[in-house]
Amino acid sequence: MSSETGFSAPSRFNRRTNALACAIRSARRSPVSGKSSALRLWDEVNVLRAGADYGWPETEGIAGSTGEAPIATIHPDDASPSGVAYTGGSLWIGALGGQRLWQLPVGGGAATADPIAHVAGEYGRIRTVEVAPDGSLGIVTSNTDGATWGGTDPRAGDDRILRVEVNEG
């Protein structure tokens, strides 16, 4: 339960819920990493609703027919989501294995466009995404921990906190 809003959204059959973002009308959106699945087919973004069933392990992303359908899916090689934030009408999702920042335009509990990749391969693995007071994003890279797939050998400037400006629309 959020101490800020008093809202809770218990749900069932989620797989490795990596982050939650609070957005318009307190809808909870959650990226889920497919890395832990034997199938490893899809990483997904779900709108969490109290009591909802998200189908795992019978359903992963668009593969299967049980549970609530995700509002977006991305292949784990391009994602492995970590941090997520909401600003400017979009969810912003850090990708560890995919080494990019994903933008998912959302509205009314649904994706309003396909996911858009930003800074692909430029900074390595992106672990954390936070909204700054000015509406920009702070992202934290995680290249040298070796904890998950996609890590790189140490490079000059690893690991970093970066500022990314967000343009709404």
Side-chain angles (χ1 to χ4, degrees):
M1 176 174 297
S2 167
S3 60
E4 202 173 290
T5 65
F7 178 85
S8 67
S11 60
R12 301 175 298 139
F13 304 109
N14 290 293
R15 175 193 63 253
R16 268 188 65 198
T17 302
N18 292 26
L20 294 174
C22 299
I24 300 169
R25 289 186 277 249
S26 297
R28 300 307 196 252
R29 292 172 173 87
S30 170
V32 178
S33 173
K35 293 289 189 202
S36 64
S37 170
L39 297 175
R40 203 173 93 68
L41 298 174
W42 298 104
D43 290 335
E44 54 192 58
V45 177
N46 295 298
V47 175
L48 300 184
R49 294 182 176 89
D53 173 351
Y54 293 89
W56 194 83
E58 289 81 19
T59 297
E60 183 177 336
I62 58 174
S65 60
T66 62
E68 297 284 326
I71 64 169
T73 58
I74 304 169
H75 191 275
D77 290 343
D78 298 323
S80 299
S82 185
V84 63
Y86 174 83
T87 191
S90 292
L91 289 175
W92 296 86
I93 305 164
L96 291 167
Q99 299 189 15
R100 64 198 78 197
L101 177 66
W102 285 102
Q103 176 186 6
L104 180 62
V106 294
T112 58
D114 289 334
I116 304 161
H118 297 276
V119 300
E122 289 183 40
Y123 302 112
R125 297 164 12 116
I126 298 174
R127 178 168 302 280
T128 303
V129 182
E130 294 287 338
V131 179
D134 68 358
S136 67
L137 296 173
I139 62 173
V140 178
T141 65
S142 182
N143 295 308
T144 59
D145 65 1
T148 57
W149 298 353
T152 61
D153 291 330
R155 300 174 291 191
D158 278 342
D159 285 318
R160 302 187 272 183
I161 299 172
L162 303 166
R163 182 177 181 273
V164 176
E165 294 207 25
V166 173
N167 295 319
E168 192 168 343

